[in-house]
Amino acid sequence: MPGGRVGVLLPGPADFPAWRAAARRLLGGGVPPERVEWSVAGEGPGLFAAAALPEGEGRAVRVPRRFLGLAELAIRHRAPARFALLYRLLWRLAGGEAGLPAMAADPDVLRAEAMARAVRRDAHRMHAFLRFHCVEAADGPRYLAWFEPEHHILEAEAGFFLRRFAALRWSIVTPEASLHWDGAALRLGPGGCRRDVPAEDAQDALWRAYYAAVFNPARLRPAAMRAGMPRRYWANLAEAREIPRLIAEAPRRAAAMAARGAVFPRRPQPGRPWDVAGDMPADLLDRVDDPAAALAALREELRGRNDLPLWAAQATQPVFGEGPPGAALMFVGEQPGDEEDLAGRPFVGPAGRMFDRALEAVGIARGETYVTNAVKHFKFRPAGRRRLHQSPDAGDIAWYRPFLKREIALVGPRLLVTLGATALRAVTGRPLAIGKVRGGILRTEEGLPLLPTIHPSYLLRLPDPESREREYARFLADLRQARREVA
Ligand code: URA
């Protein structure tokens, strides 16, 4: 029908192959863009749809690879004009216009690129802000997530979730469609509503605690927070519920931090003039029938040493391990941080809170474990009122190592868990890379089983929610393995 309008009904809102097949037939029939009425099945027919598509395979044109990539993304955009825009670009390319790079300032190209960017951003947010909630079904756990994408990205992003969660059975429900993985096959289903997915599960408390732990009240930037975690996703995110409280409390907490920073660490006590071998009764230290007393003696020995590494003199106090002697699990961290130095207890600062939450998540009671550090003093560099953590070097680790070894012997755990590279080095005496040995059980020189994992502060330093989620899950897996080893 020369001059009349041609209607194209696409089977889905982001069906690139169907759009491409239709576009080829339109090109083959010489139908210019302004005569085409695009619509999507189920979304109502095009207003002027009249003639059907020209018959046949149509005309395949060679297009720059960049156009294909752009079109595959832009077609997922929600704007109804996307199909027409892309066909107009194709028509122009087929008509011999210069390639897309030469059309960089062209309004059609700019529009398509803006659409592609929006789709990419939406996908990134889906990866970061989608949360699965576990539901115990009769045939085992199932993980459900509710997400409201801005664009038609659900099917295109299925691969991401499949790769990530292949071993779980999950469903992602959106207002327009749902995706279901049963461990073997992926199925597309109808849309649903938020009520189809439980609002909260046990993991939510962890997310909230995690977010609160990484939130720095002294660096409160609400605009940046909103940009990083847009409000439209807050309803999905357990941690977002913490935001109003954290913002409200930030000025008070920042002032308290500043005041605390002003407390200059105490000068060290002059070293007590005795050591274990001298004034301390050696038999007390070696009394394995009373390991608590022996541990206390070891602590006193450390306090009394007057040959500490020079920097240790800055610390408020040595921070020794805590927990019941005889604990089956013994955790070894790196060194006390700012809060530990003031409190005199290991793992009570931000990394400690992260550690506590992870232990709780896997059902390990911290009070039944023994928790200590490779290095027993806080090593830091003063920066104004702040004390900036400095990693202990090989010499520091070696200096404290005899204390750690004695402590391990007195506690007598069935399994050691080293948190981070310093602890691994301190326990094994070797500079091993965690990435290379993680997942297996090593042995100390004395033959004690050792499970290496990351330090919880590593999780606090990860910049994006995606990698945090992944690494946190790996950390939990390591802790679960530790629990199984001593069960
Ligand atoms: N990091 C550690 O390694 N140990 C602590 O006690 C606190 C933070």
Side-chain angles (χ1 to χ4, degrees), residues 274 276-301 406 410:
W274 43 258
V276 179
D279 298 350
M280 277 292 281
D283 63 343
L284 177 60
L285 193 62
D286 288 324
R287 268 175 54 183
V288 283
D289 58 326
D290 191 351
L295 282 166
L298 189 61
R299 181 186 317 238
E300 282 314 301
E301 183 201 349
R406 172 78 64 162
L410 290 171

Side-chain angles (χ1 to χ4, degrees), residues 138-421:
D139 55 350
R142 171 144 218 132
Y143 293 82
L144 306 182
W146 166 252
F147 194 73
E148 289 169 78
E150 272 183 70
H151 303 291
H152 300 288
I153 59 171
L154 180 63
E155 275 186 85
E157 296 312 318
F160 173 87
F161 293 97
L162 262 184
R163 283 191 298 281
R164 175 78 62 91
F165 302 112
L168 306 180
R169 297 182 317 142
W170 49 260
S171 294
I172 299 174
V173 184
T174 78
E176 282 154 352
S178 55
L179 208 53
H180 308 270
W181 171 249
D182 63 7
L186 193 65
R187 187 171 55 78
L188 195 64
C193 59
R194 185 185 294 282
R195 281 194 313 278
D196 298 338
V197 173
E200 178 133 347
D201 72 7
Q203 294 290 322
D204 284 11
L206 291 176
W207 278 108
R208 287 207 298 274
Y210 175 75
Y211 191 75
V214 297
F215 176 83
N216 182 348
R219 298 230 181 97
L220 178 63
R221 284 161 49 223
M225 276 167 83
R226 272 193 294 276
M229 193 192 280
R231 228 171 227 287
R232 67 182 268 123
Y233 305 106
W234 284 21
N236 290 353
L237 303 174
E239 63 268 38
R241 267 167 260 152
E242 296 297 307
I243 292 177
R245 178 179 68 78
L246 292 171
I247 291 181
E249 288 176 355
R252 183 181 55 72
R253 286 181 59 201
M257 276 168 77
R260 200 182 58 205
V263 178
F264 195 76
R266 255 199 299 124
R267 294 296 306 162
Q269 313 270 323
R272 301 250 299 270
W274 43 258
D275 66 19
V276 179
D279 298 350
M280 277 292 281
D283 63 343
L284 177 60
L285 193 62
D286 288 324
R287 268 175 54 183
V288 283
D289 58 326
D290 191 351
L295 282 166
L298 189 61
R299 181 186 317 238
E300 282 314 301
E301 183 201 349
L302 182 62
R303 273 187 198 284
R305 288 290 284 257
N306 51 15
D307 59 343
L308 292 173
L310 279 182
W311 55 262
Q314 291 191 106
T316 309
Q317 55 192 320
V319 177
F320 215 68
E322 64 177 21
L329 267 179
M330 178 167 178
F331 291 96
V332 183
E334 183 197 68
Q335 63 166 346
D338 184 82
E339 290 192 32
E340 287 79 7
D341 171 76
L342 296 169
R345 294 183 53 212
F347 282 100
V348 293
R353 288 190 279 279
M354 185 79 206
F355 179 52
D356 285 351
R357 291 291 161 180
L359 288 180
E360 201 180 304
V362 302
I364 297 178
R366 173 163 169 175
E368 291 170 13
T369 70
Y370 190 93
V371 179
T372 194
N373 284 303
V375 167
K376 313 291 191 202
H377 289 91
F378 178 31
K379 184 173 186 183
F380 65 91
R381 180 168 59 79
R385 297 177 149 199
R386 299 175 60 211
R387 306 191 293 166
L388 301 181
H389 168 276
Q390 286 209 290
S391 296
D393 60 26
D396 302 326
I397 297 171
W399 194 93
Y400 287 92
R401 193 160 182 252
F403 285 90
L404 178 64
K405 290 185 75 166
R406 172 78 64 162
E407 196 180 11
I408 294 171
L410 290 171
V411 173
R414 300 222 301 278
L415 178 71
L416 274 173
V417 180
T418 52
L419 304 168

